[in-house]
Amino acid sequence: FLVGVGIGGFSVPYDLLAEICPDKIRGQVLMSIWVWFAIGGILITELAYFVLDSRGWRYLTLLASVPPVLSLLFLGFLDESPSWLLAKGRAAEAETIMDKIAKTNRSEMKPFKLEDEEEHHASMTDLFKPKYLLATVCVWLTSFAQTFCYYGIILFLPRVLHVPKSERFPFKELIYSCLGEIGGTIIGVFMVDFLSRGMVCTVSFLVFGLALPLLVTPNVPLPLVFAMIARAAAPISGSASWLLSAEAYPVEIRATGHSYGNMIARIGAFLTTYWGGAQLSATHLAYGYTAVSIIGALGGWFNPKAAMALE
């Protein structure tokens, strides 16, 4: 439960980064940070390989908690949102942060004066106002689909990849598939520079949905290749859906909108554990994931910000 509470705030630093990044590089920056998510996947798999059998899951969980604890040391270096400060009547602090940003980027700013913005207490009802309704529905569809598919493929691969009798778990194959995830994230960084947000999201969901049935096709050659393709497509669709979520709302309700989207994403992550563990054939499970990926593709395509592409 406490881990879930912590994950609930994960989207806030992402939204801070989205706010502060220039339009020209926002897409690449927000997509690229997911490389570290993929690297973490490789490291935790390696750690499980050495620790899980000898020390048990509690020791593995303890070691996995070290990076989040260390991240607390960096909170003091994280600046507050200037827009949020203005909404709270703290214009002087916002100006100080803007000056700091200018100095960090070696840019000269002419003397300026920020005016306080009207404070707005965002709530869930704001997300369903007519001008945001379509965006909210699409954000929720892609958020649900991306975690259902991403965590689903992680649960699904051990079931379908060949494991020698001498091994209890396909650690090596999972590490190889994680390499596909790193490659996919890098590809996504370049895709968002040339394609619209919605196109990146839609295409990646569809590639994922196509790779899963091929992976479970009897006698398919090189199943690990299809596993790597699925793992490559999953983070692209996930990071693109996060990017769409961050850009779907104005600053005053962005964190609220993205946080509720993250809540829906956690529901997807929760439900995929039951689908991945269902006593069904691998083929039925694969087509179930494909169906959800199609839903995610539709959410990406119809998102009002789907046509957004950087010039």
Side-chain angles (χ1 to χ4, degrees):
F1 175 81
L2 293 178
V3 171
V5 172
I7 291 175
F10 179 63
S11 61
V12 176
Y14 186 91
D15 292 331
L16 281 173
L17 185 60
E19 178 184 340
I20 216 70
C21 277
D23 291 345
K24 185 177 181 180
I25 63 171
R26 182 187 297 126
Q28 295 94 321
V29 171
L30 295 181
M31 294 285 283
S32 65
I33 63 173
W34 292 99
V35 171
W36 298 105
F37 198 88
I39 292 174
I42 292 178
L43 294 179
I44 195 63
T45 305
E46 289 275 8
L47 192 61
Y49 176 78
F50 290 105
V51 172
L52 196 57
D53 287 338
S54 60
R55 297 294 188 115
W57 68 268
R58 288 182 174 84
Y59 195 79
L60 176 63
T61 304
L62 177 63
L63 293 176
S65 68
V66 173
V69 172
L70 292 178
S71 68
L72 296 175
L73 301 176
F74 297 92
L75 289 179
F77 299 95
L78 189 62
D79 291 322
E80 187 53 82
S81 161
S83 295
W84 182 84
L85 290 172
L86 288 176
K88 296 296 181 180
R90 296 157 61 179
E93 295 177 58
E95 292 172 1
T96 300
I97 292 175
M98 295 299 294
D99 283 330
K100 178 182 176 181
I101 293 173
K103 291 178 181 178
T104 301
N105 289 280
R106 299 179 181 178
S107 300
E108 292 186 7
M109 293 183 63
K110 296 179 180 180
F112 67 96
K113 183 70 174 178
L114 297 177
E115 296 182 0
D116 293 338
E117 297 178 355
E118 181 180 354
E119 185 172 359
H120 178 77
H121 297 284
S123 67
M124 185 177 180
T125 57
D126 290 320
L127 307 181
F128 289 93
K129 290 180 178 179
K131 59 181 177 180
Y132 303 131
L133 178 59
L134 179 60
T136 297
V137 172
C138 290
V139 165
W140 285 19
L141 289 177
T142 54
S143 296
F144 177 89
Q146 63 102 356
T147 52
F148 191 94
C149 293
Y150 178 82
Y151 293 111
I153 187 65
I154 295 175
L155 295 170
F156 186 64
L157 288 183
R159 184 167 176 172
V160 297
L161 292 177
H162 173 69
V163 183
K165 293 182 179 180
S166 59
E167 298 181 12
R168 294 180 56 189
F169 197 79
F171 288 107
K172 181 175 66 176
E173 288 79 4
L174 287 179
I175 290 174
Y176 287 151
S177 67
C178 283
L179 293 176
E181 186 172 330
I182 292 178
T185 304
I186 294 173
I187 291 172
V189 172
F190 288 98
M191 288 178 66
V192 80
D193 196 28
F194 297 100
L195 300 175
S196 68
R197 316 293 205 231
M199 182 64 71
V200 173
C201 193
T202 300
V203 169
S204 54
F205 269 122
L206 293 179
V207 169
F208 177 91
L210 180 63
L212 261 291
L214 293 174
L215 175 61
V216 298
T217 301
N219 302 317
V220 65
L222 302 174
L224 185 58
V225 173
F226 290 105
M228 293 181 71
I229 291 174
R231 285 296 295 265
I236 298 177
S237 61
S239 54
S241 67
W242 270 63
L243 182 57
L244 280 170
S245 299
E247 294 179 337
Y249 305 104
V251 171
E252 58 267 21
I253 65 169
R254 177 176 294 155
T256 300
H258 201 175
S259 295
Y260 275 105
N262 196 23
M263 179 191 71
I264 300 298
R266 294 313 109 198
I267 295 175
F270 174 76
L271 293 180
T272 198
T273 60
Y274 290 95
W275 180 252
Q279 298 302 310
L280 298 172
S281 68
T283 300
H284 284 91
L285 294 178
Y287 280 106
Y289 284 117
T290 296
V292 174
S293 71
I294 292 174
I295 294 174
L298 292 173
W301 185 261
F302 288 104
N303 190 302
K305 290 292 184 179
M308 184 173 181
L310 299 182
E311 298 179 356

